[in-house]
Amino acid sequence: MEREFTSASFNQFLGEKKLMASKCTKCGALYLPPRPLCIKCFSSEMEWVEMKGKGKLAAFTTIYVGPTFMIEEGYDRNNPYCTGVVELEEGPGISARILGVDAKKPEEIKIGTPLVVDFVERGEGEAKRTYLAFKA
Ligand SMILES: [Zn+2]
């Protein structure tokens, strides 16, 4: 059964450790997170394609005051974390948590750093969710 092209399906795939994009079967445009409708040619004929999970850092920010779940993980003013936009080998960019870089030394984080996908699991049982991250 085909899954709907929504962020809910995208998150479901993350739980299966798959980074999936929707691809327009008419013009080939890739959407990540997936879209049900192509904004280039207005076709609604989409298919799922799995991304290889390799890319490079296109932009980043270090975050000192994050959302509650990040504070609960121990991130704060003294222990910042990094999020960024990853440009995938297949073309599209996606924002994700960036691991394996020192968020305390943003001057040492280089645009263009090669990254590979990582799936971060948080919580237990019913509350378990998988978050998209990339690591250097
Ligand atoms: Zn299209």
Side-chain angles (χ1 to χ4, degrees):
M1 201 177 74
E2 190 83 271
R3 289 186 210 186
E4 285 182 69
F5 298 99
T6 60
S7 50
S9 301
F10 178 76
N11 288 328
Q12 202 179 358
F13 277 125
L14 287 184
E16 296 163 19
K17 301 197 185 326
K18 287 179 181 166
L19 180 58
M20 301 294 284
S22 72
K23 183 182 181 182
C24 173
T25 60
K26 288 253 168 70
C27 77
L30 283 171
Y31 296 99
L32 193 75
R35 283 176 166 272
L37 184 73
C38 181
I39 56 170
K40 289 185 181 152
C41 75
F42 307 106
S43 166
S44 60
E45 287 174 36
M46 291 281 176
E47 64 180 0
W48 286 108
V49 285
E50 184 171 1
M51 303 287 99
K52 281 180 289 181
K54 288 183 186 171
K56 59 186 183 193
L57 190 61
F60 69 91
T61 334
T62 50
I63 309 225
Y64 286 83
V65 182
T68 313
F69 64 86
M70 293 305 289
I71 294 168
E72 283 168 358
E73 275 191 36
Y75 292 96
D76 60 21
R77 278 177 200 285
N78 299 316
N79 187 25
Y81 64 97
C82 183
T83 67
V85 176
V86 181
E87 188 187 311
L88 295 176
E89 276 184 3
E90 290 88 348
I94 186 159
S95 53
R97 177 91 180 276
I98 309 298
L99 306 172
V101 295
D102 189 350
K104 286 179 190 162
K105 294 177 186 164
E107 68 282 1
E108 290 181 8
I109 303 173
K110 299 274 183 288
I111 296 298
T113 300
L115 299 167
V116 290
V117 72
D118 195 13
F119 300 93
V120 179
E121 291 179 339
R122 190 179 290 134
E124 295 291 329
E126 287 286 296
K128 190 162 123 180
R129 283 197 58 190
T130 308
Y131 292 85
L132 181 63
F134 279 79
K135 61 185 173 196

